[in-house]
Amino acid sequence: MRALLSETPGGPESLKMVELPSRPLGKGQVRVAVRAAGVNFPDTLIIQDKYQFKPTRPFAPGHEIAGDITEVGEGVGDYKVGDRVIGMVGHGGYASEAVVDEGSLL
């Protein structure tokens, strides 16, 4: 998968596009092919270390995503492959895919 990572504090120009392995699914999680991600002012603060939420680097910013479920983990009951969803991921939305807890989807 591809992701736009923050490896060091800085502005949007400091983000780097990298290839990463897909994360494994856990119980109650789904894999979403990200089609859109929210871009907002807090993301610019987070990548500059100027926000109260400071993920461990490297990380991909992006709290809100929309896309299609491509894989369903054990114990997921309300969603299936092919469902179109939106979700809140905390960070990690600036990527081609995201692993999301079922309870974080709408």
Side-chain angles (χ1 to χ4, degrees):
M1 77 160 183
R2 292 181 313 169
L4 196 56
L5 291 187
S6 175
E7 296 177 332
T8 59
E13 69 283 351
S14 70
L15 299 174
K16 294 182 183 174
M17 183 67 73
V18 300
E19 285 287 333
L20 297 172
S22 294
R23 287 182 37 210
L25 287 182
K27 186 174 183 176
Q29 294 182 321
V30 300
R31 185 175 321 279
V32 176
V34 176
R35 305 290 182 218
V39 178
N40 56 62
F41 184 62
D43 286 320
T44 63
L45 296 176
I46 291 168
I47 64 175
Q48 295 177 69
D49 285 346
K50 295 180 179 180
Y51 199 72
Q52 63 265 26
F53 174 68
K54 293 179 176 62
T56 303
R57 283 195 169 80
F59 71 93
H63 177 72
E64 308 95 0
I65 64 162
D68 307 305
I69 294 179
T70 59
E71 187 179 356
V72 176
E74 178 187 345
V76 172
D78 293 331
Y79 298 94
K80 64 186 182 315
V81 171
D83 284 348
R84 298 175 82 185
V85 294
I86 59 173
M88 307 300 215
V89 294
H91 65 285
Y94 295 1
S96 58
E97 64 182 42
V99 173
V100 185
D101 293 333
E102 179 180 23
S104 297
L105 296 172
L106 299 173

